[in-house]
Amino acid sequence: MSIRYALIGCGRIAPNHLPSALGCGMEIVALCDTNAQAIDALLEGLKLSDLSLKRYSDYRQMLACESLDMVAVATDSGSHADIAKECLSRGIAVLVEKPMALSLADADEMLALSQKHKVPLGVCQQNRFNDASLLVRKALDSGGFGRLSHVSVQVRWWRDADYYAQDAWRGTWEKDGGALMNQCIHGLDLMRWFGGTDISSVSATLANRYHPYLEVEDVGIGFVRFSDGAIGSFEGTTNLYKENLEERITLIGENGTVVLGGDCAQKIEVWDFSDSAIQALGDEADLSEQSSVYGSSHSRVYADFAHALLCGGQPTVDGRCGRDALELVLAAYKSHLVNAPVSLPLYGFDTQAMHL
């Protein structure tokens, strides 16, 4: 079976999607963007201008006209949910960029539609597929850390006025969210994946220090209490001077310590375990190179999604994983808003409730 594929949104992240779809042998049926020049630029940049496909400026028209098995959604964050829900309602599998939505109500509706129509729903939280992340997961599953003491995440990046001026939706509560939602959500996803999805409370504080033209935070700092007693801490910011510094994740356990660093936590900087077999995993690791802060694992996301679509079931990073990451960010936002810890599970909260 050939997977008939379309991409909605041909902007900044699209060059990670189209080659990944082609690499899985998908049939590229259509591209959609409200800006026709974005489609041209995408194809020209990837040297795919001769690719035979349809072009659309309205995704609803595309869905009405084309027979599709799968759609990838790479538009502004605020439109992810509406587009995904329309596709799922038509029985079309959806792979959506992070965050999957800006409200938990929308995320829950997406999950329900995926289940109702029996089609996969995946979220591009691709750093779970990085070699370093997979090694940490293997060490955790093997019991190499023993009991975790704490997990910490620091996403220390730089975004200037030119970045936010690219699109009117950037840096708004209605369509985007701030540093935690847009830049730090991958790190927060890994913190929850490593530390445990069962979280009892989240506390956070936000500020806008250097981007007064935005509605949202440019720095967010907080901590998480996992239900087993472990603690997580996080720091996400776009306030670095001049250039990105790092995305760093540290895990400290009674029998092992790991520090992942680099642009997207893709490098092993510390790998120290009492168990020699677990130690050997890091010592012998041959990690793949990463091309940017987006990492190079979209291709693995696509391969995993294609397998789920062809064989039945959900992808590894499914809608539930996407909701968990979204819930953590929204809990941090609500904690700042009410100036108190927020208990999980969280329901019925969204970015539009926020006003800094």
Side-chain angles (χ1 to χ4, degrees):
M1 170 187 168
S2 176
I3 297 173
R4 292 176 57 82
Y5 167 94
L7 173 63
I8 303 175
C10 297
R12 185 180 176 94
I13 195 62
N16 292 65
H17 282 265
L18 204 52
S20 299
L22 287 168
C24 290
M26 296 180 182
E27 179 186 351
I28 313 300
V29 174
L31 298 179
C32 180
D33 199 288
T34 55
N35 179 3
Q37 292 179 341
I39 298 177
D40 291 336
L42 173 63
L43 293 173
E44 290 171 9
L46 294 173
K47 296 182 170 48
L48 295 173
S49 296
D50 294 334
L51 195 64
S52 177
L53 50 78
K54 299 284 188 64
R55 300 176 181 219
Y56 291 90
S57 59
D58 185 331
Y59 74 89
R60 292 183 180 88
Q61 182 186 12
M62 182 189 76
L63 295 177
C65 294
E66 303 296 339
S67 174
L68 298 167
D69 300 307
M70 171 187 173
V71 165
V73 181
T75 56
D76 62 275
S77 300
S79 66
H80 286 175
D82 285 345
I83 296 172
K85 287 188 289 185
E86 180 73 22
C87 295
L88 292 167
S89 296
R90 293 172 177 266
I92 301 170
V94 171
L95 177 62
V96 62
E97 267 295 337
K98 59 76 188 170
M100 65 184 294
L102 295 180
S103 79
L104 291 171
D106 278 336
D108 288 337
E109 188 174 352
M110 292 161 69
L111 288 165
L113 286 168
S114 171
Q115 183 176 23
K116 177 181 177 180
H117 295 280
K118 296 180 172 59
V119 289
L121 169 62
V123 183
C124 284
Q125 293 169 183
Q126 71 277 359
N127 287 359
R128 288 199 188 197
F129 286 94
N130 289 353
D131 290 339
S133 300
L134 293 172
L135 281 178
V136 171
R137 185 68 257 171
K138 189 170 184 178
L140 285 163
D141 292 342
S142 300
F145 284 93
R147 285 194 309 153
L148 281 179
S149 167
H150 57 285
V151 182
S152 68
V153 173
Q154 294 86 35
V155 180
R156 294 162 172 163
W157 288 355
W158 162 81
R159 297 291 185 270
D160 63 3
D162 290 340
Y163 167 83
Y164 291 104
Q166 291 177 49
D167 301 285
W169 57 267
R170 295 184 185 276
T172 66
W173 287 122
E174 181 182 4
K175 292 286 188 179
D176 190 16
L180 293 184
M181 184 70 81
N182 198 310
Q183 283 77 32
C184 196
I185 194 168
H186 287 300
L188 291 173
D189 172 55
L190 289 180
M191 183 177 74
R192 191 162 192 176
W193 192 41
F194 294 155
T197 58
D198 194 6
I199 292 174
S200 59
S201 67
V202 178
S203 300
T205 188
L206 315 175
N208 184 318
R209 298 291 293 164
Y210 300 153
H211 301 79
Y213 44 85
L214 303 180
E215 299 175 355
V216 300
E217 88 282 2
D218 56 20
V219 57
I221 295 175
F223 68 88
V224 166
R225 183 166 291 279
F226 294 97
S227 297
D228 67 355
I231 294 173
S233 65
F234 58 87
E235 169 196 346
T237 186
T238 55
N239 285 344
L240 268 290
Y241 170 66
K242 200 172 181 180
E243 60 186 18
N244 293 337
L245 177 61
E246 63 182 350
E247 179 174 358
R248 179 177 297 272
I249 299 178
T250 302
L251 293 89
I252 296 176
E254 58 187 339
N255 298 319
T257 302
V258 166
V259 179
L260 305 182
D263 290 332
C264 55
Q266 82 279 19
K267 296 180 179 179
I268 295 176
E269 296 187 353
V270 176
W271 186 275
D272 191 11
F273 287 91
S274 62
D275 186 315
S276 60
I278 302 297
Q279 182 63 35
L281 289 176
D283 292 342
E284 298 167 5
D286 182 16
L287 305 186
S288 61
E289 290 295 320
Q290 307 293 311
S291 58
S292 71
V293 294
Y294 299 127
S296 301
S297 293
H298 273 80
S299 60
R300 295 178 177 180
V301 171
Y302 269 79
D304 180 77
F305 194 93
H307 181 268
L309 186 55
L310 294 172
C311 299
Q314 291 290 338
T316 300
V317 187
D318 60 7
R320 177 58 57 183
C321 299
R323 190 195 187 280
D324 284 346
L326 175 64
E327 179 186 45
L328 183 47
V329 176
L330 289 177
Y333 282 171
K334 185 175 182 179
S335 173
H336 173 82
L337 191 66
V338 301
N339 194 29
V342 169
S343 297
L344 268 61
L346 181 66
Y347 300 100
F349 192 77
D350 58 53
T351 54
Q352 294 196 64
M354 296 295 299
H355 296 282
L356 289 181

